[in-house]
């Protein structure tokens, strides 16, 4: 289970990397200059990446965990065959 969480969390950080790359390349409202040159530091961009990674990682873990649950196949009762379902055509009558 821990391996599952780590793999899905890493996938979330990969999605965060794509989102940050898209944000920096699109540069909406001079976001690239604000993030990379704010007070001469690059750490606001790193913090945004970390928090995007946490968010996307948590969503990825949640979705992957929910998709793990699959319904059990129907069990055959011992000694009796499974019932056969036959489609019956419906007849409509006029009133």
């Amino acid at each position: 289970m821990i391996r599952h969480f780590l793999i899905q969390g890493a996938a979330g950080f990969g999605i965060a990397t794509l989102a940050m790359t898209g944000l920096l390349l699109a540069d909406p409202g001079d976001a690239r200059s604000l993030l990379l040159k704010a007070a001469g530091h690059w750490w606001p961009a790193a913090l945004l990446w970390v928090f995007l990674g946490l968010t996307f990682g948590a969503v990825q873990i949640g979705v992957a965990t929910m998709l793990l649950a699959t319904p059990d196949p129907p069990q055959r009762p011992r000694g009796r065959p499974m019932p056969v379902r036959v489609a019956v055509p419906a007849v409509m009558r006029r009133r």
Side-chain angles (χ1 to χ4, degrees):
M1 190 56 112
I2 294 190
R3 180 174 175 243
H4 172 74
F5 286 160
L6 291 175
I7 290 172
Q8 300 305 324
F13 271 90
I15 295 169
T17 302
L18 292 175
M20 276 297 293
T21 304
L23 177 71
L24 293 176
L25 288 177
D27 197 21
D30 288 335
R32 178 178 31 210
S33 61
L34 285 173
L35 287 172
L36 296 178
K37 298 176 185 173
H41 299 287
W42 52 267
W43 62 266
L47 279 176
L48 181 61
W49 176 75
V50 166
F51 288 121
L52 279 175
L54 288 175
T55 302
F56 290 145
V59 170
Q60 181 70 22
I61 288 170
V63 168
T65 303
M66 299 276 183
L67 290 176
L68 281 177
T70 57
D72 293 334
Q75 299 293 325
R76 289 181 184 246
R78 296 191 184 260
R80 291 186 289 167
M82 292 288 285
V84 178
R85 295 183 179 166
V86 179
V88 178
V91 178
M92 296 183 66
R93 297 182 199 166
R94 287 190 174 177
R95 290 187 180 205

